[in-house]
Amino acid sequence: GQQLNQSPQSMFIQEGEDVSMNCTSSSIFNTWLWYKQDPGEGPVLLIALYKAGELTSNGRLTAQFGITRKDSFLNISASIPSDVGIYFCAGRKETSGSRLTFGEGTQLTVNP
Amino acid sequence: DVKVTQSSRYLVKRTGEKVFLECVQDMDHENMFWYRQDPGLGLRLIYFSYDVKMKEKGDIPEGYSVSREKKERFSLILESASTNQTSMYLCASSLMNYGYTFGSGTRLTVV
């Protein structure tokens, strides 16, 4: 079952605003991933993090692997209408092989 | 780029029918996965496979089975479709311990 707490569940923001969302767990993960799902499509990988403390950027997106290995956050700067979608965090534990655990998603709405 | 192709984007089936959802990946990935996605419930793992002819149950395998006869193809089977299996089904593949690549999804409606 789900072991990642992702928040917020939904966000309504104005174009140009910055966005922050995070995932926390009581378990330790050795990989954190962030995906975006456009309406009617499958999730697409945005950022992958493999080391505690790692901070990685992909354009306007920045994600960090928490020092405790139990959390991760994603920031989106200067949001635009095409940022609309569902953002999922996912983590991999050392003991779970290739299997990922997913958060429940953050639904982002950007008003022009 | 890795491509994961799901055979149908939309499917409508009748209660009691046997339904096959097909997924093909073109990058020689060992791992393949089937998820269903429902509003408010996130992504739930149905079955996964680490190799040809190998399968493992996920979190919600009841009412489903899978087949992996070839490395590139992973099929999800609804033995006797029911209305509570109306959902978005997502297939994914991965290489070793890297991130998943998802297909575009199949939206199944059982009437």
Side-chain angles (χ1 to χ4, degrees):
Chain A
Q2 296 284 6
Q3 299 171 46
L4 291 181
N5 301 307
Q6 185 171 350
S7 65
Q9 281 190 323
S10 61
M11 302 182 77
F12 297 83
I13 61 169
Q14 293 296 127
E15 184 176 358
E17 286 184 21
D18 296 343
V19 171
S20 187
M21 58 191 80
N22 67 81
C23 261
T24 61
S25 175
S26 56
S27 303
I28 288 175
F29 289 86
N30 61 8
T31 301
W32 284 96
L33 304 157
W34 285 92
Y35 286 85
K36 183 197 176 196
Q37 184 178 28
D38 290 327
E41 298 292 331
V44 172
L45 182 64
L46 297 173
I47 293 179
L49 303 156
Y50 299 103
K51 245 169 43 171
E54 183 180 353
L55 185 73
T56 297
S57 293
N58 178 5
R60 293 178 296 106
L61 278 60
T62 302
Q64 185 157 29
F65 191 142
I67 288 289
T68 64
R69 297 168 65 192
K70 294 182 179 181
D71 61 354
S72 177
F73 73 74
L74 175 71
N75 285 343
I76 305 172
S77 63
S79 58
I80 59 178
S82 62
D83 289 334
V84 163
I86 304 175
Y87 291 79
F88 290 98
C89 63
R92 177 180 288 118
K93 297 180 192 176
E94 195 162 342
T95 55
S96 61
S98 299
R99 184 172 169 172
L100 294 176
T101 301
F102 283 88
E104 291 188 3
T106 296
Q107 174 74 60
L108 179 65
T109 303
V110 180
N111 296 315
Chain B
D1 271 356
V2 177
K3 206 165 177 188
V4 177
T5 303
Q6 293 185 231
S7 53
S8 307
R9 291 299 298 268
Y10 300 95
L11 217 48
V12 179
K13 295 292 182 181
R14 294 195 181 278
T15 301
E17 273 193 76
K18 190 168 185 175
V19 180
F20 293 85
L21 302 183
E22 306 288 348
C23 176
V24 177
Q25 50 96 3
D26 65 0
M27 282 299 287
D28 205 35
H29 284 179
E30 297 91 354
N31 308 314
M32 296 189 76
F33 307 84
W34 274 107
Y35 286 85
R36 66 177 281 177
Q37 183 178 21
D38 302 288
L41 297 177
L43 298 168
R44 293 184 291 167
L45 181 64
I46 304 171
Y47 267 97
F48 58 106
S49 169
Y50 289 138
D51 204 348
V52 176
K53 296 194 187 296
M54 176 271 170
K55 60 187 177 187
E56 286 198 32
K57 292 180 181 178
D59 300 317
I60 52 163
E62 297 77 20
Y64 303 94
S65 63
V66 290
S67 170
R68 194 163 181 203
E69 295 296 317
K70 292 185 177 181
K71 192 174 185 180
E72 67 270 18
R73 186 181 296 270
F74 193 35
S75 304
L76 180 69
I77 304 154
L78 285 65
E79 297 291 343
S80 176
S82 64
T83 54
N84 64 13
Q85 291 178 310
T86 291
S87 186
M88 171 74 135
Y89 289 87
L90 290 163
C91 174
S93 74
S94 77
L95 183 65
M96 300 295 286
N97 291 336
Y98 291 95
Y100 296 177
T101 299
F102 283 89
S104 296
T106 296
R107 189 164 291 283
L108 173 68
T109 302
V110 182
V111 297

